[in-house]
Amino acid sequence: MTNWTLKKLSGHCGARLEGLSLASASTSQLEIVRSSLFEHGVIVLPDQYLTPEDHIKLAEFFGEIDVNRFFTPVASHPTIAEVRTTPEQKNVIGGTWHTDHSYDAAPAMCSILSAQQLPPFGGDTHFASMSSAYYAMSSGLQNMLRHLSAWHSDGSFGSSSDVGINPKQDAFRDPVLHPVIIKHPKTGAPCVYVNGDFTLNFENWTIEESIPLLSYLYAFITKPIFTARVVWEPGMVVIWDNRLVQHYATADYSGHTRLMHRITVGGVPLEPF
Ligand SMILES: [Fe+2]
């Protein structure tokens, strides 16, 4: 990678890769992007301006496309989800930390977001390393969490109509169970796998019993020290590993248009660490 520069965004997650065109990258170059993704959790690639065909081809390098059943597809390319905010929209999607597709039995391994139209300010995306968060916990908490699983549900999409998501009733599925500390399927790293959007409760615990510990975990795992902030640029592409990081969309650009194209790539069932 002689003409590339790969620069870390923060101490615990994210790297910015400059000097590579994803649309014309060779297989061996994309393999380096993939291994960087598993190491850093988030790869930021400026100046890409991918066409929908480029975007799909890139996603297929990583695996089979996992078409999201809640987002509106791009009309001409139904495997691409449209993440759109209109100026008229009162509420902007985002504002909660989560990982994409944790409500699926085999959650998406990565998401690839391609900037189409950006607001004049704001709309940054934050990422947090779930592996660094795990390592920062006491051994007592680590050991307890390693023995727990938690239920995840897509039910929160039922109350998302104010942010432009209107799912069909048959889109909803039964909750699924995942270990609270997963073993990253590629690197074996421990990662905390509960999130505020989709996790319901711990297995064999009531929701009431689960809330205090889940609330503590959500506050702990998203401490600024574990995070990196991506400020979007025209043409930028960001790829993140949904097992290694969680993300947060900053909903601070009300009254402006923001249009992103997103493809999620299929993953595997998650094993405990
Ligand atoms: Fe997301």
Side-chain angles (χ1 to χ4, degrees), residues 163-191:
V163 290
I165 293 178
N166 294 291
K168 294 190 188 106
Q169 270 314 305
D170 64 1
F172 294 95
R173 308 263 191 279
D174 289 338
V176 298
L177 204 54
H178 297 299
V180 170
I181 308 299
I182 60 165
K183 181 166 80 175
H184 189 281
K186 295 295 177 190
T187 66
C191 303

Side-chain angles (χ1 to χ4, degrees), residues 71 98-100 111 240 242 247 262:
F71 285 86
H98 66 282
T99 186
D100 294 335
S111 300
W240 65 87
N242 281 304
H247 57 283
R262 191 185 86 174

Side-chain angles (χ1 to χ4, degrees), residues 103-156:
Y103 45 79
D104 287 336
M109 62 87 71
C110 74
S111 300
I112 306 173
L113 202 57
S114 172
Q116 305 295 307
Q117 193 178 346
L118 297 174
F121 55 83
D124 300 348
T125 307
H126 299 249
F127 294 90
S129 168
M130 293 300 103
S131 190
S132 295
Y134 174 82
Y135 282 122
M137 291 172 179
S138 68
S139 58
L141 183 56
Q142 288 174 341
N143 289 337
M144 186 181 77
L145 295 177
R146 282 173 59 185
H147 290 96
L148 294 177
S149 291
W151 291 101
H152 295 244
S153 162
D154 56 18
S156 58

